[in-house]
Amino acid sequence: MELTLLADLWDYLAVEKHLPGKLSLKVDLAIRNHPKAAELSKSGVSGLAAIRKTRMNIFTRTLVVEYDTALLPFDRLDALLRCTDMEQMRSMAEQISLA
């Protein structure tokens, strides 16, 4: 999973809990209609190396992202998640992906 995907789908996501190495997001069921929604369940192998694992549970409407804090520092991801401007959020996500 790429972090830019979070920016693309942010209208459907809300941070439920964020601890170093583990991010839990609440997912709006309307996300099912978005063409990029299927990419949420892909693990770090095909995306950002820092993403270890993703788990999507449609019944509880949660997405859990486990990540390596050595490759993706908690503070950088937390700043991205708190960003209110979508263009800036996407830019931050791209910068993190390139680092």
Side-chain angles (χ1 to χ4, degrees):
M1 184 182 84
E2 295 287 342
L3 290 179
T4 53
L5 183 61
L6 292 181
D8 292 341
L9 298 173
W10 196 246
D11 289 340
Y12 304 97
L13 304 171
V15 176
E16 188 172 63
K17 191 174 191 179
H18 186 206
L19 302 170
K22 188 174 183 179
L23 170 64
S24 296
L25 299 166
K26 203 62 161 169
V27 180
D28 185 324
L29 290 177
I31 201 169
R32 294 177 297 176
N33 299 325
H34 196 286
K36 292 188 177 184
E39 295 178 43
L40 282 176
S41 60
K42 293 181 182 174
S43 64
V45 174
S46 62
L48 185 63
I51 307 295
R52 291 182 176 160
K53 185 177 183 182
T54 59
R55 290 186 312 272
M56 177 81 151
N57 185 327
I58 200 70
F59 298 109
T60 60
R61 297 183 7 210
T62 56
L63 170 66
V64 177
V65 179
E66 294 179 22
Y67 64 96
D68 186 343
T69 56
L71 298 173
L72 176 57
F74 172 82
D75 295 340
R76 287 191 76 188
L77 181 55
D78 201 54
L80 180 136
L81 297 171
R82 293 180 188 279
C83 188
T84 56
D85 180 90
M86 290 302 105
E87 287 302 316
Q88 183 180 4
M89 180 186 238
R90 191 165 215 328
S91 176
M92 291 171 72
E94 288 171 355
Q95 290 174 3
I96 290 171
S97 295
L98 295 175

